[in-house]
Amino acid sequence: MSHTVQNKSKLLARVRRLKGQMEAIERALEAEVSCAEILNLAASVRGATNGLVVELLEDHLRNHVVDVEGDAQRKAGADELIEVMRRHLK
Amino acid sequence: MSHTVQNKSKLLARVRRLKGQMEAIERALEAEVSCAEILNLAASVRGATNGLVVELLEDHLRNHVVDVEGDAQRKAGADELIEVMRRHLK
Amino acid sequence: MSHTVQNKSKLLARVRRLKGQMEAIERALEAEVSCAEILNLAASVRGATNGLVVELLEDHLRNHVVDVEGDAQRKAGADELIEVMRRHLK
Amino acid sequence: MSHTVQNKSKLLARVRRLKGQMEAIERALEAEVSCAEILNLAASVRGATNGLVVELLEDHLRNHVVDVEGDAQRKAGADELIEVMRRHLK
């Protein structure tokens, strides 16, 4: 079972909140509010997205590295985690 | 006139693309696809959000610091930019 | 005159502090302290480096975009800033 | 044994390279080279520091979560990793 299943509702709520923040930027652009305000909205989304990535890394670590049976599966879970960190956090 | 007006359609397209990426994560969570895949989607959104913030910083710089009349207005535009960078890039 | 001249001593102090933090990590590695501790030292350096980049961006903005004579020079200063942001903040 | 022991020489080389980069910024500030050049040096250090943090996270994962005996120790290693990610990657 996927880690995203276990924490599915919590993650879905977070993703929908992020989508709502993107819609707020869309409305702000259409309403031509000040660009400083839009910059702050976008910078908040950036922070929230970092938070989502960290939560997903954490879930993956718990469900695919810590709570698994067998060394091969554990190593595979760790390798996936390392690949994502290398590709996106550098 | 706001910088977001001048580049409005380009920025709107980018924001809507980002909203589409959030919806793709939402669907992936609901479809219970593998968490490694969801992690990669979320990490891509993180990269795209950084790109949006850089574009907004750039627009603000051009429209509220470079292309303005008067030193006071220029200084105000620069101060807004510095505040956003301090708050979000550190 | 370069912006780095005007704030030279402040920037030098910050850079030397960062060098000191790198030396602390070097000593910690040699003394074989716990890896959690080394991770925290390295993560602090990461934060301090972000702070240095933001300070340099800010100095550049003030000295090469705001406080310059002539539109061509102002535009050139802004272009340099945008290039660095595009290359490194994305 | 610490993970930093096993990869000690590789990590030490990386940390010394980073210290060398800080010294290059120090010399550039003293020589009053152009601020665009210093900005680029600093932005490179930022990238290199991100790389160091990712390498340390990876070593910690392999040595304190994957290759350990016993569930309690594995959980403790994962908790340390999560704490660092929460504190520094968000």
Side-chain angles (χ1 to χ4, degrees):
Chain A
M1 187 170 55
S2 163
H3 79 164
T4 52
V5 180
Q6 288 171 47
N7 301 289
K8 195 176 159 175
S9 60
K10 198 179 61 164
L11 283 166
L12 268 175
R14 195 192 263 263
V15 167
R16 282 169 188 151
R17 219 160 37 234
L18 258 166
K19 201 176 66 171
Q21 286 180 275
M22 291 313 306
E23 285 162 350
I25 297 180
E26 199 181 352
R27 283 192 304 274
L29 282 166
E30 280 165 347
E32 297 178 9
V33 306
S34 85
C35 87
E37 208 173 316
I38 290 174
L39 245 175
N40 275 311
L41 289 173
S44 297
V45 169
R46 182 180 175 268
T49 313
N50 283 347
L52 174 66
V53 171
V54 169
E55 186 174 341
L56 287 166
L57 288 171
E58 188 179 329
D59 282 2
H60 187 99
L61 178 61
R62 292 204 193 283
N63 294 292
H64 294 286
V65 185
V66 175
D67 296 336
V68 295
E69 299 284 322
D71 288 352
Q73 228 189 311
R74 189 182 324 283
K75 214 191 145 302
D79 285 345
E80 286 180 328
L81 200 61
I82 286 165
E83 205 197 309
V84 174
M85 292 197 299
R86 278 191 191 163
R87 199 155 6 127
H88 296 288
L89 301 185
K90 273 187 182 173
Chain B
M1 187 171 54
S2 163
H3 79 163
T4 53
V5 180
Q6 289 171 46
N7 301 289
K8 194 174 158 176
S9 60
K10 198 177 60 161
L11 282 167
L12 267 175
R14 194 191 264 264
V15 167
R16 281 170 189 151
R17 219 160 38 234
L18 256 167
K19 200 176 67 173
Q21 287 180 275
M22 291 313 306
E23 283 162 352
I25 298 180
E26 198 180 352
R27 282 192 304 274
L29 282 167
E30 279 165 348
E32 297 179 8
V33 308
S34 85
C35 87
E37 209 174 316
I38 291 173
L39 246 175
N40 275 310
L41 290 172
S44 296
V45 169
R46 182 181 177 267
T49 313
N50 284 347
L52 174 66
V53 171
V54 169
E55 186 175 341
L56 287 166
L57 289 170
E58 189 180 328
D59 283 2
H60 187 99
L61 179 61
R62 292 205 193 282
N63 294 292
H64 294 286
V65 186
V66 176
D67 296 335
V68 294
E69 299 285 322
D71 288 352
Q73 227 187 314
R74 189 182 325 282
K75 215 193 145 299
D79 286 344
E80 285 181 330
L81 201 60
I82 287 165
E83 205 197 309
V84 174
M85 293 197 299
R86 279 190 189 165
R87 201 156 4 127
H88 296 287
L89 302 185
K90 275 189 182 172
Chain C
M1 186 170 55
S2 162
H3 78 164
T4 51
V5 180
Q6 287 171 48
N7 301 289
K8 196 175 158 175
S9 61
K10 198 178 61 162
L11 283 167
L12 268 176
R14 195 191 262 262
V15 167
R16 283 171 187 150
R17 219 161 37 234
L18 258 166
K19 201 176 66 172
Q21 285 181 274
M22 291 313 305
E23 285 163 350
I25 297 181
E26 199 181 352
R27 281 193 303 274
L29 283 166
E30 280 166 347
E32 296 178 11
V33 307
S34 85
C35 88
E37 209 173 317
I38 290 173
L39 247 175
N40 275 310
L41 289 172
S44 297
V45 169
R46 183 179 176 268
T49 313
N50 284 347
L52 174 65
V53 171
V54 170
E55 186 175 340
L56 287 167
L57 288 170
E58 188 179 329
D59 283 3
H60 187 99
L61 178 62
R62 293 206 192 281
N63 294 291
H64 294 286
V65 186
V66 176
D67 296 336
V68 293
E69 299 286 322
D71 287 352
Q73 227 187 314
R74 190 183 323 284
K75 213 191 147 302
D79 285 344
E80 285 180 329
L81 200 61
I82 286 165
E83 205 197 309
V84 174
M85 292 196 299
R86 278 190 190 165
R87 197 151 12 123
H88 296 287
L89 301 186
K90 273 189 182 171
Chain D
M1 186 171 54
S2 164
H3 79 162
T4 52
V5 180
Q6 288 171 47
N7 301 290
K8 194 174 158 176
S9 60
K10 198 178 62 162
L11 283 167
L12 268 175
R14 195 191 262 263
V15 167
R16 283 171 187 149
R17 219 159 39 233
L18 257 166
K19 201 177 66 173
Q21 286 180 275
M22 292 312 306
E23 284 162 351
I25 297 180
E26 198 181 351
R27 282 192 303 274
L29 282 166
E30 280 165 347
E32 296 177 10
V33 307
S34 85
C35 87
E37 208 173 318
I38 291 173
L39 246 174
N40 275 311
L41 289 173
S44 297
V45 169
R46 182 179 176 268
T49 312
N50 283 347
L52 173 66
V53 170
V54 169
E55 186 175 340
L56 287 167
L57 288 170
E58 189 179 329
D59 283 3
H60 187 99
L61 179 60
R62 291 205 194 282
N63 294 291
H64 294 286
V65 185
V66 176
D67 296 336
V68 295
E69 299 285 323
D71 288 353
Q73 229 188 311
R74 190 183 323 284
K75 215 192 145 301
D79 286 344
E80 285 180 330
L81 201 60
I82 287 165
E83 205 197 309
V84 173
M85 293 196 298
R86 280 190 189 164
R87 199 153 9 124
H88 296 288
L89 303 184
K90 275 190 182 171

